[in-house]
Amino acid sequence: MTYKKSTKRSYRLQTVIVLFVCTVLVLSLSLAGILVAIDNAKSTRSALEDKVWTIATSFARSPVVIEGLENEESQARLLEYTEEVQSETNVEYIVVIDMERVRLTHPTPEMIGERFVGNDVERAFEGETYSSTAEGTLGESLRTFIPVYNEQTGEQIGVVAVGMLTDHINAAVYRSQAMVWIGGLVGLVAGLIGAILLARKIKRSMQNLEPVEIAQLLESREAMLSSVQEGIIAVDAYGKIILLNEAAVRILQKAGKTDHVLHKEMAAVLPEFELEDVLKNGKIQRNKQLSLQELELVVNRVPLTLNDQGIGAMVTFQDKTELTHAMDQLSGVKSYAEALRLQTHEFMNKLHVVSAMVHTKSYEDLQAYIQTISTYYQEDVGWISRHVNDPVLVGYLLNKLKMVKNQGIKVQLIGESSWPSIKDPNQLNALITVIGNSLDNAVEALQDIDDPVIELTIDVDGEQMLWQVKDNGKQTTQSQLDQLVEKGTSTKGAERGYGLYLMNTYIKDSCGKLTFTANVDGGVTLRAIVPIRGVEHD
């Protein structure tokens, strides 16, 4: 499997959060600022218009203004009064116009006595009150026209025009909007600081890991959990299942637990594991045996802690049969290695004996010794070598037969055809397991038996290899034998009954057949047939 390195650039969590928060703040504050600024502009303009309107109305009703329009001698006082009001109200100009359209007051003295400029004044001389924006001698301005009447006769005697330059209005609008944008900028800075603090807090809660690193850890964890052969179940502090690997699902299904258990209460769906006890006492429990339906499990239970605080518990478990299977494989390899070691040691001893006899010129003794070795070779080594072509099985069989004979048991070898060399390591391992377990069982069955005998058959039947072990042990019934292949069933006490079960499993995996027959005259006959495959014939 090859992995392609991602070319996509990844950003730090703090950078992503800050950019995201700032983007949201800029968009939201900008939109809010625009809406508020538009509203402020309207409010400011409306306030200024109302101010001009109020000043013009109040000024037009002043007795000084009325007197100045009716009496030329009072015009000096009118001019004075106009300057005072204009100064106090901060308007650009207050112009008093008589019915001849002549200015009686104006901020620019040169304009006094001149006719009023602008076509928007005519409606005021017709008695209408209004505001308009027009270009005057001081520039474009917002001005309000108020007719002036004689209080006695009710006759219109003039018009008052109060104005404020448009530039000054816009400046006031800009000043009101500036506060909005300053507030938005302060909010953006506050949001930026908050985003940085939030990012740091989130980073600390994630053990200072970046999202990419967390994703890699999760992927690695899933890969590791999938590759582990042990079943793993983890629960949180409330006893709810939060993790379940593939091996656990497989073992639970094997035990008949086919329901979906993830995110359910452990005590409700799998009370046999007793994880609630681990959650309460926080003690580690290792290599405990547990029966789940008809399945025997080896279980480890451990509490989970973070910063000395209990956050849950985890149980790992494995089918005891699989453990026994693994141990049996190791035992087979160990037995084979021991056989080679013993043969090498025995061969060296014989060489030393031969060397010593040659050195002392004990030729008659040497001839007798060689004759003894030759007899043993003819009886066992020669027979096994002729009927088994695989050197691994030859060495293993010779070692096992020697140990059997050392127990005082007579071995009779039967067979015509020879087994081929075996190239399939699984089949070789299966045969080693069957040979070792069957001979060990026969030896145990012959304890306390007078004249114990094992009749061993190695032969080929068509395209199948035959292995048969017949002993003359105690009398037994066929019904008892039929139960021996069941896992955990044994007549030898507790924690036994796995050898025959494993032999039967191996033979079935090799598409063979294993049978047990109770002999009429006592003892048991074990017969194993294994198809020839992955082999080389000599």
Side-chain angles (χ1 to χ4, degrees), residues 38-69:
I38 292 174
D39 185 67
N40 277 356
K42 291 181 179 179
S43 299
T44 302
R45 289 181 183 277
S46 178
L48 292 176
E49 289 177 1
D50 291 343
K51 175 183 176 181
V52 173
W53 185 280
T54 301
I55 294 171
T57 303
S58 177
F59 186 82
R61 295 175 181 175
S62 171
V64 176
V65 175
I66 296 172
E67 182 68 23
L69 284 169

Coordinates of all heavy atoms in Angstrom, one line a residue, residues 38-69:
I38 N -26.5 54.9 7.9 CA -27.6 55.4 7.0 C -28.7 56.0 7.9 O -29.2 57.1 7.7 CB -28.2 54.3 6.1 CG1 -27.2 53.9 5.1 CG2 -29.5 54.8 5.5 CD1 -27.6 52.7 4.2
D39 N -29.0 55.3 9.0 CA -30.0 55.8 9.9 C -29.5 57.0 10.6 O -30.3 58.0 10.8 CB -30.3 54.7 10.9 CG -31.5 55.1 11.9 OD1 -32.6 55.3 11.4 OD2 -31.2 55.3 13.1
N40 N -28.2 57.1 11.0 CA -27.7 58.3 11.7 C -27.7 59.5 10.7 O -27.9 60.6 11.2 CB -26.3 58.0 12.2 CG -26.3 57.3 13.5 OD1 -27.3 57.1 14.1 ND2 -25.1 56.9 14.0
A41 N -27.3 59.2 9.5 CA -27.3 60.3 8.5 C -28.7 60.9 8.4 O -28.9 62.1 8.4 CB -26.8 59.8 7.2
K42 N -29.7 60.0 8.3 CA -31.1 60.5 8.2 C -31.5 61.3 9.4 O -32.1 62.4 9.4 CB -32.1 59.4 7.9 CG -31.9 58.7 6.6 CD -32.9 57.6 6.4 CE -32.8 56.9 5.1 NZ -33.8 55.8 4.9
S43 N -31.1 60.7 10.6 CA -31.4 61.4 11.8 C -30.7 62.7 12.0 O -31.3 63.7 12.4 CB -31.1 60.5 13.0 OG -31.8 59.3 13.0
T44 N -29.5 62.8 11.6 CA -28.7 64.0 11.7 C -29.3 65.1 10.8 O -29.4 66.3 11.2 CB -27.2 63.8 11.4 OG1 -26.7 62.8 12.3 CG2 -26.4 65.0 11.5
R45 N -29.5 64.7 9.5 CA -30.1 65.7 8.6 C -31.5 66.2 9.1 O -31.8 67.4 9.0 CB -30.3 65.0 7.2 CG -29.0 64.8 6.5 CD -29.2 64.1 5.1 NE -27.9 63.8 4.5 CZ -27.2 64.7 3.8 NH1 -27.7 66.0 3.6 NH2 -26.1 64.4 3.2
S46 N -32.3 65.2 9.6 CA -33.6 65.6 10.1 C -33.5 66.5 11.3 O -34.2 67.5 11.4 CB -34.4 64.4 10.5 OG -35.6 64.7 11.0
A47 N -32.5 66.3 12.1 CA -32.3 67.1 13.3 C -31.9 68.5 12.9 O -32.3 69.5 13.5 CB -31.3 66.5 14.3
L48 N -31.0 68.6 11.9 CA -30.5 69.9 11.5 C -31.6 70.7 10.8 O -31.7 71.9 10.9 CB -29.3 69.7 10.5 CG -28.0 69.2 11.2 CD1 -26.9 69.0 10.2 CD2 -27.5 70.2 12.3
E49 N -32.4 69.9 10.0 CA -33.5 70.6 9.3 C -34.5 71.1 10.4 O -35.0 72.3 10.2 CB -34.2 69.6 8.4 CG -33.4 69.2 7.2 CD -34.2 68.2 6.3 OE1 -35.3 67.8 6.7 OE2 -33.6 67.8 5.3
D50 N -34.8 70.3 11.4 CA -35.7 70.8 12.5 C -35.1 72.0 13.2 O -35.8 72.9 13.6 CB -35.9 69.7 13.5 CG -36.8 68.5 12.9 OD1 -37.4 68.8 11.8 OD2 -36.8 67.4 13.5
K51 N -33.8 72.0 13.4 CA -33.1 73.1 14.0 C -33.3 74.4 13.2 O -33.6 75.5 13.8 CB -31.6 72.8 14.2 CG -30.8 73.9 14.8 CD -29.3 73.6 14.9 CE -28.5 74.8 15.4 NZ -27.1 74.5 15.5
V52 N -33.0 74.3 11.9 CA -33.1 75.4 11.0 C -34.6 75.9 11.0 O -34.9 77.1 11.1 CB -32.6 75.1 9.6 CG1 -32.9 76.3 8.7 CG2 -31.1 74.8 9.6
W53 N -35.5 75.0 10.9 CA -36.9 75.3 10.9 C -37.3 76.0 12.2 O -38.0 77.1 12.2 CB -37.7 74.1 10.7 CG -39.2 74.3 10.6 CD1 -40.1 74.6 11.5 CD2 -39.9 74.4 9.3 NE1 -41.4 74.8 11.0 CE2 -41.3 74.6 9.6 CE3 -39.5 74.2 8.0 CZ2 -42.2 74.7 8.6 CZ3 -40.5 74.3 7.0 CH2 -41.9 74.6 7.3
T54 N -36.9 75.5 13.3 CA -37.3 76.1 14.6 C -36.7 77.5 14.8 O -37.4 78.5 15.2 CB -36.7 75.3 15.8 OG1 -37.3 73.9 15.7 CG2 -37.1 75.9 17.1
I55 N -35.4 77.7 14.3 CA -34.8 79.0 14.4 C -35.5 80.0 13.5 O -35.8 81.2 13.9 CB -33.3 78.9 14.0 CG1 -32.5 78.1 15.1 CG2 -32.6 80.3 13.9 CD1 -31.1 77.7 14.7
A56 N -35.8 79.5 12.3 CA -36.4 80.5 11.3 C -37.8 80.9 11.8 O -38.2 82.1 11.8 CB -36.6 79.8 10.0
T57 N -38.6 79.9 12.4 CA -39.9 80.2 12.9 C -39.9 81.2 14.0 O -40.7 82.2 14.1 CB -40.7 78.9 13.3 OG1 -40.7 78.0 12.2 CG2 -42.1 79.2 13.8
S58 N -39.0 80.9 15.0 CA -38.9 81.8 16.2 C -38.4 83.1 15.8 O -38.9 84.2 16.3 CB -37.9 81.1 17.2 OG -37.7 82.0 18.3
F59 N -37.5 83.2 14.8 CA -36.9 84.5 14.4 C -38.0 85.3 13.7 O -38.1 86.5 13.9 CB -35.7 84.2 13.5 CG -34.9 85.5 13.2 CD1 -34.0 86.0 14.1 CD2 -35.2 86.1 12.0 CE1 -33.3 87.2 13.7 CE2 -34.5 87.3 11.7 CZ -33.6 87.8 12.5
A60 N -38.8 84.7 12.8 CA -39.8 85.4 12.0 C -40.9 86.0 12.9 O -41.5 87.0 12.5 CB -40.4 84.5 11.0
R61 N -41.1 85.5 14.1 CA -42.1 86.0 15.0 C -41.6 87.0 16.0 O -42.4 87.5 16.8 CB -42.8 84.8 15.7 CG -43.5 83.9 14.8 CD -44.0 82.7 15.5 NE -44.7 81.7 14.6 CZ -45.2 80.6 15.0 NH1 -45.0 80.2 16.3 NH2 -45.8 79.8 14.1
S62 N -40.3 87.3 15.9 CA -39.7 88.2 16.8 C -40.2 89.7 16.5 O -40.2 90.1 15.4 CB -38.2 88.2 16.7 OG -37.6 89.2 17.5
P63 N -40.6 90.4 17.5 CA -41.0 91.8 17.3 C -39.9 92.7 16.7 O -40.2 93.6 15.9 CB -41.3 92.3 18.7 CG -41.6 91.1 19.5 CD -40.7 90.1 18.9
V64 N -38.6 92.3 17.0 CA -37.5 93.1 16.4 C -37.6 93.0 14.9 O -37.3 93.9 14.1 CB -36.2 92.6 16.9 CG1 -35.0 93.4 16.3 CG2 -36.1 92.8 18.4
V65 N -37.8 91.7 14.4 CA -37.9 91.5 12.9 C -39.1 92.2 12.3 O -38.9 92.9 11.3 CB -38.0 90.0 12.7 CG1 -38.1 89.7 11.1 CG2 -36.7 89.3 13.2
I66 N -40.2 92.1 13.0 CA -41.4 92.8 12.4 C -41.2 94.3 12.4 O -41.5 95.0 11.4 CB -42.6 92.4 13.3 CG1 -42.9 90.9 13.2 CG2 -43.9 93.2 12.8 CD1 -44.0 90.5 14.1
E67 N -40.6 94.8 13.5 CA -40.4 96.3 13.5 C -39.4 96.7 12.5 O -39.5 97.8 11.8 CB -39.8 96.6 14.9 CG -39.6 98.1 15.1 CD -40.9 98.9 15.1 OE1 -42.0 98.4 15.4 OE2 -40.8 100.1 14.8
G68 N -38.4 95.9 12.3 CA -37.3 96.2 11.3 C -37.9 96.2 9.9 O -37.4 97.0 9.0
L69 N -38.9 95.4 9.6 CA -39.5 95.3 8.2 C -40.4 96.5 8.0 O -40.6 97.0 6.9 CB -40.2 94.0 8.0 CG -39.3 92.8 7.7 CD1 -40.1 91.5 7.8 CD2 -38.6 92.9 6.4

